[in-house]
């Protein structure tokens, strides 16, 4: 069937901000869909609130709306688009934007919006979506076609839940309807747990429903990625086997492709079932993900669920096989059949086939519980990981070992002694560290049998780990001096890193090992991922390293640039950096370079095989990166390496790479190091006469006490070596400094603790700038809404700055120029400033530098979208020697910042609190947000309101505001309270705050603190008597009270504001909402309104 | 144990040896199936061939009695990247290595199988020797060159059954994951199946579709077959080159039009010759479970299991009598045909799968339908 001609315009709905369970994989799928549909000549309209995505680049769609993903805003977008082309065939593609897009599609359909504007769903229809998403309907469907499912009942209250659980017996699984990543799901082993989990589950479900289900804990878990076209051709792209058995969410499981422990009969039975499922559910075109459980002793097979859309797993499957599921799904959605689409990789064979693998792929999730003290770290049916790595090897062992080193945890395994009781417990309950404990247990001599009993992990996998352990023991028998070449080769074939060998030989650093390998001629070759196990020639250099004979990646004579990606997504280092890496690749490809990407994150666009000329799917470790560099240089062609765009991971490699003779382009590793090295950087600032908060570096409690009093309280204490503001605290007195030094983190003279004077009540500002070493252009001066003390990644910010005096803006410009030149920055740099308010209205006249990052920052994509200038592309070109004058001459002449036109662009963070019930939601200098959204409007209030809505904070337009602020904030609270009173809100406050407000002649209702009596604040919140909470935390350890308040608020989904600054902004936003404005604008239009060079 | 592979063109691979000690000789072919190594070991069509599996992890789920395609393995030797020392599966009865050792099949493991596959892809299938006893390259290469060429050899009569027998086991009773409620059909037809190296799953499928099957030796004369009063005749898959099997061609000619006929693989090639067509050898054959085949009638695509080095040349067929029904979308080889006015059809690939996808099971139904109509 050829392309549909009855459609000419297609709206693609994105997945919004990065959250746990919905990450970069949907930027990958959305970007593929945009490209595919545009290349087919459709008019592509895109809606996504996430500015950090590549899919929201203006080139990728005809009109890009960075607007909140809510029914109201989508309706407005559809209305406008319908107006623009009254008679066009108009369709919505809801299957590449995750659960978010799917749920919105349902809302639009049920709300009659689609009908009203004559818009049609493609990819999946409403009935199919509902049939797949409604767990009970789905189960009925499965039983109709003779497939087995776990026994279950849908309940909407506790009583029914308990009753049914009584029937089928504990443990039971609780799974709320219409949530993603298993939000609110859980396992209950007894009545008490059931009551707790079920209550939460019902609360999370938009339809207040949850499924109580027979437990199949410990069964083997599998996934199949299925595709279907309009001619009813169905193919399986990939089978995935979970290393962790049933009970651990697939997103939290180590997973392996292809499946390893199923015979053909068993696999085909599953394949048949999958095909039956997709037909029964009625997903007409595109990809679906179907999950199965198999009883390890009886082989009983049950269907767990189906996702009628591309998913995290389909992104993984695409990277694992080389079959671009989302791209093909988009083409199928517009009418093509599988046999009409070519396989890009082999060129001559059609897309209508089932990929076959001659390698093994292992995916390992990455968790960050260290950022959420108090969170339950056990793994279950609800996903908790923030990112993942994928590794490719010729064997499971090799892939697994590559994956482990790709995780970039900096942790050593098997170090200290673990007592048996702990060990058993660690092995029995799934936990982020379980793999390490299994390795430890094997080393202690535990048998595969014993481990299987405790973990239910398939014995075949455990046996592979045992063989790895045996290899390790063998290696340790040989001193480095006399180790035979075969052993070294054997060890490397098992996937051991040079670091591991160095460890076994008690060496500092891996250099000696590298040299030994060279001497013995043990080096990796690169093989291709080609969808067909080499049956046909492959034309796309999608490569992975392995220790075999034949190399398939002979380097070309072209001049090359190697771009180091950012590895697994994590808090503080996310999709923004992938955006920068991809842009570097696009730009330099246009400039005639052969672009080479190295990354190990399967979710990303950068690991799409057609983003760069060559893709090395490799861990971002010194060993692996160096190997690629040497391999690519072997052609004699000039090779430059870019470390600036992948965040901290590649940046940390810059010095060692340079030491190993790699040509790093852009800002020199020395400058990068200088900016990171406290002592030398302080000296530089002094020379440049740029103020900085007084600081001290200490390595003992006494030094700390002395240092703190020298710099003056309050102080910000943090270890010198961690990133993303990890383990930072604000200390207001000696006692807490001492406590920090005692318990917080290990420290020593090479790992000292930094103590800075904490600038209280200061406006924080982020500045992104471009520099070629001589000229500098400032991309944007972003004023934070929360004050300094809230991590830059966690505070909302606005572009352009709203209330910073011109002279201070100029000061920051001057400092930026000075620093860029002093550090000889070539490419991008980011500076964070703090401006203490002397009297609360921002009139302080001193600007302090908090830190300088001589690299692409988190805010680059946001600034680029606000200004219409692709900063990362320009930066990449500067690194190859081109000059800023070529691109932005007039800004250099006018010494002007990039232009944001007449609009305000507000960026707001999104937090994973709902995944970590019980964790305190207070913000501080340690970053906790997983993603961001952008709100655009021609006034600040509206832009802020939009950003809040996009971030899931529904600002109320009427009702009651609860206010409770610290003594420190009391002087300014009344003025804020008045704003809300004027907006018609009823005020409620705790005693202290109420006193201040009343003094200003405002009516305020008093309410008890939690300990004071009842009804107290929490009762009000639970009773839904409060609609907005303004609660600024005391600088010290948050009071029990505040924790209780914030927790209750999160559960009741009441927006909570933790700073007065944000409260002021919220008031403006609410005012805007009351005016009922609902205006959307396409990015392309905004950019066209200004005169900006396009590059 | 050390092991070595020598190819007739002089290429050498050194690796580890598993399974039986000794030497084996054959045409080296690669199979790209991810699952189903046991079915491949025991597929008689592999007689005379050394098989390279592209899936690097082999042996993981062991072996069991149910998944055999014949009573013993037929591959001459096995080449893999990683050979599992343990098996993990609820149906496993024997570790793969023991199973092969028991039947004296040598295994070469731990070599760069991908580079071997690329070599065969670019230079075509060729003869080779695996040895775990002799490591003199020149000697082995010489041995490889002395192996009789597959082209022109009739292996069907080597692997075929010596005596006729009746097949009892159906497929449903055989499913690893019992499909609730579905039973084998009670026998409604009597099918005589020529055994040129027949896979047991064909017999299970026929039985499952309600056929009583009598299996007869490859050289059984057509008259004797007709004497068994069958409702239909089945022509099985098998190893080697169809050309020399003149006896089979003659018998097929004599059966055409007398009884409904269904042929698979070698059976299909022999039918092609019987219809006046020619066969030719493919560069490296089709061996795998992911080949897209198009039904030329309705344009539907099925993902199919292939295992053939030879194919029927469509241009050599009398298009007036023969309708082309199936085509491989990877390289346009002819995969199926049907006689325009006689009850006769055949496919080059393996609708019985095992290993492979089940998309083509419908062909067995078409065969029973054809017999139904023929009965009238
Ligand atoms: N009945 C069950 N017993 C035990 N574990 C289960 C059961 N159902 C689901 N799980 C586990 O919970 C995880 C999430 O369930 P799933 O239905 O996939 O929800 P989601 O939509 O969040 O992916 C699964 O990956 C599986 O490991
Ligand atoms: N001296 C200071 N006074 C006030 N706030 C500070 C100070 N130093 C850092 N901060 C706050 O801590 C946050 C994180 O500190 P930063 O040095 O930027 O670490 P990171 O490397 O994680 O970005 C900053 O965004 C800022 O809000
Ligand atoms: Mg799932
Ligand atoms: Mg910072």
């Amino acid at each position: 069937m050829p392309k549909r001609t009855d459609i000419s315009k297609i709206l693609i709905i994105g997945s919004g901000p990065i959250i746990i369970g919905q990450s970069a994989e949907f930027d990958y799928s959305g970007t593929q869909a945009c490209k595919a549909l545009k290349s087919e000549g459709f008019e592509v309209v895109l809606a996504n609130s996430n500015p950090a995505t590549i899919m929201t680049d203006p080139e990728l769609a005809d009109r890009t709306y960075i607007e909140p993903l809510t029914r109201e805003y989508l309706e407005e977008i559809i209305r406008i688009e319908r107006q623009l082309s009254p008679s066009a065939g108009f369709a919505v593609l809801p299957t590449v934007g995750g659960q978010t897009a799917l749920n919105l599609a349902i809302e639009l359909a049920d709300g009659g919006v689609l009908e009203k504007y004559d818009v049609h769903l493609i990819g999946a229809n409403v009935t199919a979506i509902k049939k797949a998403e409604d767990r009970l309907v789905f189960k009925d469907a499965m039983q109709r076609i003779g497939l087995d499912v776990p026994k279950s009942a849908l309940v909407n209250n506790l009583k029914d839940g308990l009753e049914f659980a009584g029937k089928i017996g504990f443990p039971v699984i609780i799974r709320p309807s219409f949530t993603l990543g298993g939000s609110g799901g859980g396992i209950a082993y007894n009545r008490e747990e059931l009551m707790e989990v079920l209550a939460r589950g019902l609360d999370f479900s938009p339809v207040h429903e949850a499924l109580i289900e027979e437990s199949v804990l410990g069964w083997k878990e599998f996934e199949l990625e299925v595709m279907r076209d309009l001619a009813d051709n169905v193919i399986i792209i990939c089978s995935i086997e979970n290393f962790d058995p049933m009970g651990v969410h697939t997103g939290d499981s180590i997973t392996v492709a292809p499946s390893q422990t199923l015979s053909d009969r068993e696999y085909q039975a599953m394949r048949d079932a999958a095909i039956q499922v997709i037909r029964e559910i009625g997903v007409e075109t595109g990809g679906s993900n179907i999950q199965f459980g198999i009883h390890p002793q009886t082989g009983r097979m049950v269907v767990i669920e189906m996702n009628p859309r591309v998913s995290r797993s389909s992104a993984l499957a695409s990277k694992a096989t080389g079959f671009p599921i989302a791209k093909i799904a988009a083409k199928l959605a517009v009418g093509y059949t599988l046999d009409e689409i070519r396989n890009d990789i082999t060129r001559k064979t059609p897309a209508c086939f089932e990929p076959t693998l001659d390698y093994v792929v292992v995916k390992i999730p990455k968790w960050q519980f260290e950022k959420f003290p108090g969170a339950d770290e056990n793994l279950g049916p609800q996903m908790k990981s923030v990112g993942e790595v994928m590794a490719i090897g010729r064997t499971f062992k090799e892939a697994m070992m590559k994956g482990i080193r790709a995780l970039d945890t900096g942790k050593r395994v098997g170090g200290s002694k673990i007592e048996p009781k702990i060990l058993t417990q660690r092995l029995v309950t799934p936990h982020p560290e379980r793999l390490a404990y299994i390795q430890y247990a094997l080393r202690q001599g535990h048998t595969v049998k014993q481990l299987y009993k405790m973990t239910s992990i398939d014995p075949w996998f455990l046996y592979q780990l045992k063989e790895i352990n045996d290899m390790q023991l063998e290696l340790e028998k040989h001193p480095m001096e006399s180790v035979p070449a075969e052993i070294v080769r054997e060890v490397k074939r098992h996937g051991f890193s040079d670091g591991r060998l160095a460890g076994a030989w008690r060496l500092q650093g891996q250099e000696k090992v590298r040299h030994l390998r060279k001497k013995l001629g043990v080096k990796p070759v690169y093989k291709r991922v080609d969808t067909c196990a080499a049956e046909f020639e492959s034309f796309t250099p999608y490569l992975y390293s392995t220790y075999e004979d034949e190399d398939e990646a002979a380097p070309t004579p072209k001049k090359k640039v190697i771009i180091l990606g950012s590895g697994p997504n994590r808090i503080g280092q996310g999709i923004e950096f992938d955006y920068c890496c991809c842009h570097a690749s696009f730009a330099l490809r246009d400039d005639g370079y052969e672009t080479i990407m190295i990354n190990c994150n399967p979710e990303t666009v950068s690991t799409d095989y057609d983003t760069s000329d060559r893709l090395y799917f490799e861990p971002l470790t010194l060993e692996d990166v160096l190997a690629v560099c040497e391999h690519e240089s072997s052609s004699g062609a000039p090779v430059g390496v870019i470390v600036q765009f992948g965040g901290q991971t590649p940046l940390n490699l810059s010095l060692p790479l340079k030491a190993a003779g790699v040509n790093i382009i852009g800002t020199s590793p020395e400058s990068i190091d200088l900016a990171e090295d406290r002592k030398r950087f302080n000296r530089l600032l002094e020379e440049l006469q740029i103020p900085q908060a007084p600081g001290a570096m200490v390595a003992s409690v006494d030094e700390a006490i002395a240092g703190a009093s020298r710099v003056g309280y309050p102080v910000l204490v943090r270890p010198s070596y961690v990133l993303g503001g990890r383990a930072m605290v604000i200390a207001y007195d000696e006692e807490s400094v001492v406590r920090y030094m005692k318990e917080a983190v290990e420290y020593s003279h090479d790992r000292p603790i930094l103590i800075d004077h904490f600038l209280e009540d200061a406006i924080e500002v982020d500045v992104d700038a471009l520099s070629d070493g001589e000229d500098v252009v400032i991309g944007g001066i972003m004023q934070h809404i929360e004050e300094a003390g809230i991590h830059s990644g966690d505070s909302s910010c606005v572009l352009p700055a709203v209330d910073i005096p011109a002279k201070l803006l100029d000061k920051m410009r001057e400092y930026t120029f000075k620093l860029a030149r002093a550090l000889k920055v070539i490419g991008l740099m980011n500076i964070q400033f703090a401006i203490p308010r002397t009297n609360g209205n921002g009139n302080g006249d001193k600007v302090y530098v908090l830190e300088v990052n001589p690299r692409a920052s988190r805010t680059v994509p946001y600034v680029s979208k606000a200004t219409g200038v692709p900063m990362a592309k320009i930066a990449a070109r500067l690194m190859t020697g081109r000059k800023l004058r070529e691109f932005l001459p007039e800004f250099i002449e006018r010494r002007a910042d990039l232009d944001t036109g007449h609009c305000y662009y507000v960026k707001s963070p999104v937090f994973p609190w709902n995944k970590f019930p019980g964790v305190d939601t207070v913000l501080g200098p340690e970053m906790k947000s997983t993603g961001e959204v952008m709100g655009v409007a021609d006034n600040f209030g509206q832009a802020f309101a939009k950003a809040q809505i996009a971030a899931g904070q529904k600002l109320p337009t009427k009702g009651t505001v609860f206010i409770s602020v610290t003594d420190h904030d009391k002087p300014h609270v009344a003025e804020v309270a008045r704003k809300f009173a004027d907006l018609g809100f009823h005020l409620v406050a705790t005693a202290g705050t109420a006193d201040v407000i009343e003094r200003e002649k405002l009516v305020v209702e008093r309410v008890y603190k939690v300990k004071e009596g009842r009804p107290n604040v929490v009762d009000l919140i639970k009773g839904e008597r409060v609609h907005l909470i303004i609660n600024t935390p005391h600088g010290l350890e948050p009071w029990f009270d505040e924790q209780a308040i914030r927790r209750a608020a999160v559960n009741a989904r009441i927006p909570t504001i933790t700073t007065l600054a944000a409260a002021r902004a919220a008031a403006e936003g609410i005012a805007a909402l009351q005016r009922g404005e609902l205006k959307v604008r396409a990015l392309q239009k905004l950019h066209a309104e200004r005169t900006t060079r396009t590059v | 144990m050390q092991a070595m592979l020598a190819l007739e063109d002089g290429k050498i691979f050194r690796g580890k040896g598993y399974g039986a000690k000794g030497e084996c000789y054959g045409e080296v072919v690669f199979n790209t199936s991810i699952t189903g190594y046991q079915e491949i070991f025991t597929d008689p069509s592999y007689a005379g061939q050394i098989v390279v599996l592209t899936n690097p992890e082999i042996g993981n789920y062991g072996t069991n009695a149910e998944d055999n395609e014949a009573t013993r393995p037929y591959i001459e030797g096995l080449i893999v990247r990683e050979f599992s020392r343990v098996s993990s599966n609820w149906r496993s009865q024997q570790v793969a290595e023991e199973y092969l050792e028991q039947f004296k099949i040598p295994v070469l493991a731990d070599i760069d199988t991908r580079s071997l596959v690329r070599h065969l892809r670019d230079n075509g299938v060729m003869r080779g020797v695996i040895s775990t006893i002799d490591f003199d390259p020149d000697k082995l290469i010489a041995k490889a060159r002395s192996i009789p060429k597959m082209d022109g050899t009739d292996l069907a009569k080597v692997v075929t059954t010596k005596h006729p027998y009746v097949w009892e086991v159906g497929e449903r009773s055989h499913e690893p994951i019992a499909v609730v409620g579905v039973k084998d059909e009670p026998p409604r037809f009597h099918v005589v199946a020529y055994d040129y190296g027949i896979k047991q799953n064909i017999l299970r499928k026929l039985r499952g579709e309600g056929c009583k099957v009598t299996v007869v030796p490859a050289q059984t004369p057509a008259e004797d077959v007709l004497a068994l009063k069958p409702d239909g005749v089945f022509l099985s898959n098998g190893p080697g080159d169809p050309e020399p099997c003149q006896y089979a061609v003659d018998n097929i000619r004599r059966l055409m039009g007398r009884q409904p006929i269904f042929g698979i693989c070698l059976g299909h090639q022999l039918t092609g010759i019987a219809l006046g067509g020619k066969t030719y050898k493919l560069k490296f054959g089709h061996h795998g479970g992911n080949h897209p085949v198009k039904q030329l009638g309705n344009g539907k695509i099925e993902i199919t299991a292939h295992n053939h080095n030879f194919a029927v040349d469509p241009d050599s067929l009398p298009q007036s009598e023969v309708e082309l029904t199936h085509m491989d979308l990877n390289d346009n080889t002819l995969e199926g045909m049907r006689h325009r006015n006689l009850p006769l059809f055949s496919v080059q690939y393996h609708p019985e799968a095992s290993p492979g996808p089940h998309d083509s099971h419908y062909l067995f139904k078409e065969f029973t339908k054809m017999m139904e109509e023929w009965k009238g």
Side-chain angles (χ1 to χ4, degrees), chain A residues 266 272 356 394 397 458 552, chain B residues 82 88 91 113-114 358:
Chain A
E266 295 140 21
D272 292 347
T356 183
R394 283 276 285 159
K397 293 190 274 284
D458 190 284
E552 299 173 34
Chain B
E82 184 86 354
S88 168
R91 289 163 69 238
T113 47
R114 182 170 164 93
H358 298 167

Side-chain angles (χ1 to χ4, degrees), chain A residues 761-1067:
Chain A
D761 191 22
I763 305 174
E764 180 165 0
V765 177
D766 252 273
V767 172
D768 282 324
L770 282 161
S771 158
D772 59 15
E774 298 139 26
D775 293 313
V776 182
V777 171
I778 287 177
I781 301 181
M782 294 153 267
Q783 176 180 1
H784 290 203
I785 310 246
E786 286 79 12
E787 70 271 316
I790 310 291
H791 192 279
S792 48
D794 279 0
S795 66
S796 297
C797 64
V798 56
L799 197 68
V802 283
D803 61 4
I804 298 178
K807 65 174 200 300
L808 294 185
L809 292 174
D810 286 333
K811 252 207 182 97
M812 289 189 277
R813 294 192 181 103
E814 178 202 332
Y815 292 166
T816 306
F817 281 57
K818 275 191 186 170
L819 280 162
R821 296 199 176 103
L823 292 169
K824 299 189 203 55
V825 170
I826 297 172
L828 282 160
M829 94 188 270
N830 164 268
I831 307 180
Q832 284 151 34
F833 293 103
I835 310 169
R837 296 195 183 85
T838 45
N839 49 14
N841 53 18
N843 288 346
D845 54 7
K846 207 154 177 217
V847 174
Y848 294 81
V849 168
L850 295 185
E851 74 159 354
V852 173
N853 297 311
R855 56 163 168 89
S857 74
R858 213 172 287 118
T859 42
V860 165
Y862 155 64
V863 176
S864 300
K865 279 170 200 174
T867 59
V869 177
M871 293 174 71
K873 282 186 176 170
I874 297 177
R877 292 177 157 136
L878 298 180
M879 294 185 217
T880 63
R882 295 180 67 179
K883 292 288 165 220
L884 207 43
R885 291 190 175 279
E886 294 178 51
F887 309 105
L888 304 163
E890 74 280 23
F891 290 97
I892 296 171
E893 296 320 324
R894 308 204 327 263
R895 296 186 100 252
D897 309 347
L898 294 183
D899 179 6
T900 48
H902 70 285
C903 278
Y904 287 88
Y905 298 81
V906 172
K907 167 180 156 297
S908 286
V910 173
F911 299 93
W913 308 130
N914 60 352
K915 300 289 179 184
F916 303 119
V919 168
D920 187 11
T921 62
V922 69
L923 300 180
E926 170 164 1
M927 183 168 169
K928 311 230 162 159
S929 60
T930 53
E932 72 209 41
V933 293
M934 182 167 95
V936 191
D938 46 23
N939 63 78
F940 169 61
Q942 171 105 43
F944 180 77
K946 269 186 166 185
Q948 289 300 298
I949 294 167
Q953 290 249 9
K954 277 222 167 297
L955 289 179
T957 49
K958 58 180 190 333
T960 304
V961 193
F962 165 75
I963 309 178
S964 173
V965 298
T966 66
D967 297 346
H968 164 82
D969 280 329
K970 294 221 163 81
H972 320 301
V973 70
E975 151 246 344
V976 173
R978 168 155 284 112
K979 288 191 197 297
F980 283 91
D982 295 348
L983 289 168
F985 279 83
H986 171 60
L987 305 180
V988 176
T990 46
T993 310
D995 295 343
V996 193
I997 297 177
E998 270 171 352
R999 250 179 265 127
E1000 298 294 317
K1001 314 259 172 307
L1002 287 164
V1003 196
V1004 52
E1005 176 187 341
R1006 288 164 179 270
V1007 60
Y1008 286 126
K1009 291 204 173 125
V1010 175
K1011 293 173 257 49
E1012 291 172 346
R1014 311 192 67 161
N1016 60 39
V1017 201
V1018 174
D1019 297 320
L1020 282 196
I1021 296 169
K1022 289 199 172 136
E1024 288 167 12
R1025 286 246 354 266
V1026 174
H1027 308 95
L1028 179 68
I1029 296 171
I1030 299 170
N1031 176 223
T1032 68
H1034 191 292
L1036 260 173
E1037 290 292 295
W1039 296 118
F1040 161 77
D1041 224 40
E1042 291 166 342
Q1043 282 202 28
I1045 291 172
R1046 286 188 295 267
R1047 201 171 302 169
V1050 169
N1051 293 339
R1053 296 234 186 63
I1054 299 174
T1056 307
I1057 293 170
T1058 56
T1059 67
L1060 283 188
R1064 291 190 192 90

Side-chain angles (χ1 to χ4, degrees), chain A residues 38 163 177 560 664 714 869:
Chain A
K38 223 167 172 308
E163 196 178 302
S177 306
K560 317 169 188 321
I664 289 173
V869 177

Side-chain angles (χ1 to χ4, degrees), chain B residues 3-78:
Chain B
M4 187 188 261
L5 166 74
L7 297 176
E8 64 179 283
D9 70 350
K11 206 162 168 44
I12 296 289
F13 289 84
R14 290 186 177 75
K16 292 206 187 86
Y18 296 97
K21 212 165 168 13
E23 246 168 44
C24 70
Y25 319 89
E27 187 177 59
V28 184
V29 299
F30 64 87
N31 183 304
T32 62
S33 305
I34 293 179
T35 53
Y37 54 80
Q38 185 185 346
E39 292 87 335
I40 292 168
F41 297 167
T42 53
D43 178 347
S45 297
Y46 281 109
Q49 295 182 317
I50 293 173
V51 179
V52 190
L53 296 175
T54 59
N55 177 358
E57 297 277 7
I58 296 302
N60 308 5
Y61 53 82
T63 61
N64 64 58
E66 287 176 340
D67 291 357
N68 285 332
E69 284 302 313
T71 50
R72 64 173 179 91
Y74 275 87
I75 56 169
E76 306 295 331
L78 176 68

